[in-house]
Structure formats: structure tokens, C-alpha cells
Amino acid sequence: MNHFKKIAEALPGAGLDGVLLTGEHNRFYASGFASMGSDGVALVTTKGNFYFTDSRYIEAAGKNLPDFTVQMVDRDHSYILRINSVIEAETVKTLGFEENYLTYSEFTKYNSELHAVLKPYQKQIGSFRASKESWELELMRKAQEITDAAFSQMCEV
């Protein structure tokens, strides 16, 4: 399951055309696709969803992200190049970012090389993740039932 629609619908109210998701947990929240650490970048715009990753994850991302345009990054096609391509094609002027996840070095690079104005958006992403939908609550209940059953079995041994 993913939340890209919820994120995209909130962008205009925040004065954004898109949001760049670099943090592992926020990428997973938006896309429903798990990748480790810095092994991908998701870009959600008001017009579309994009996921960039390297050759290790490109096949899995392509199979698991049907609602995203998935593109591979490599030496000749950097994250900056791929993101700027979308910024230009989608006419993104203002781009939200996760100020709690980017290092200063990453922020400096994105801020100087991306063709959009960066605006902090971490608080809103956090509030999305804190509020659970009914299907998420059901998954949590099922996980708790499995945990309770496993614990009961362990206590019997």
C-alpha cells in the first residue's frame, strides 16, 4: 500500500508542486516499496510519482511500484539529473524536502543544483505518518495477534 495520493493532494495547500523524499521511512510510506538507507529517492508531484534507484533495486522497484515512473540512476544519470528532468517536465517550481533527513552536504547540493526552490516539509510528512488509515490499523491488529500467539507459544516451552 502507498500514500502518494494523500501526499500529492496536500501539496498545493502547502504552496508546493512536489516533495522530494530521501529518508528511508518516508520513501516507504509514500511508495510502499522498501529499500535500505539511501538506495533511492521518491519524488511526488501534483501530476505524477517518480522513483529513482540504482541497478541493485531497479528491477524490484519496477515490479513493485506500478503507480510510479521508475528510473535508474548511474554514473551518467545522477539523482540530480533525473530529478531536474522531472522538475522541468512537470513544471515544478517549489519542492518540499525532509529537513530532518538530509545532511547539510546533501541539502547544499540539492539547493544549488536542483532547478526548484526547496522548502522544508518534514512536519507535514510526519503528521501524515502519525495518522493511520483503517487498513493500516487492521494490519497492526493482525501483527499484534501474531506476536501474541508467538509469545504464548514461547511461554509454553
Side-chain angles (χ1 to χ4, degrees), residues 51 82 87 90 102 105-106 113 118 142 147:
Y51 199 91
R82 294 290 193 199
I87 285 171
E90 302 285 319
L102 283 182
S105 173
E106 290 168 328
E113 296 183 28
L118 295 181
K142 286 180 182 178
T147 301

Side-chain angles (χ1 to χ4, degrees), residues 6-72:
K6 179 191 263 188
I7 294 169
E9 288 174 349
L11 293 173
L16 298 173
D17 302 307
V19 63
L20 186 64
L21 301 171
T22 55
E24 177 181 349
H25 301 294
N26 291 333
R27 285 194 322 264
F28 177 73
Y29 175 80
S31 69
F33 177 65
S35 62
M36 302 301 290
S38 60
D39 297 329
V41 171
L43 176 57
V44 178
T45 73
T46 55
K47 299 175 186 174
N49 311 296
F50 305 85
Y51 199 91
F52 312 105
T53 191
D54 62 32
S55 61
R56 297 171 296 166
Y57 298 97
I58 194 69
E59 186 176 336
K63 288 180 182 177
N64 291 291
L65 295 170
D67 300 318
F68 280 72
T69 299
V70 178
Q71 296 180 344
M72 188 166 75

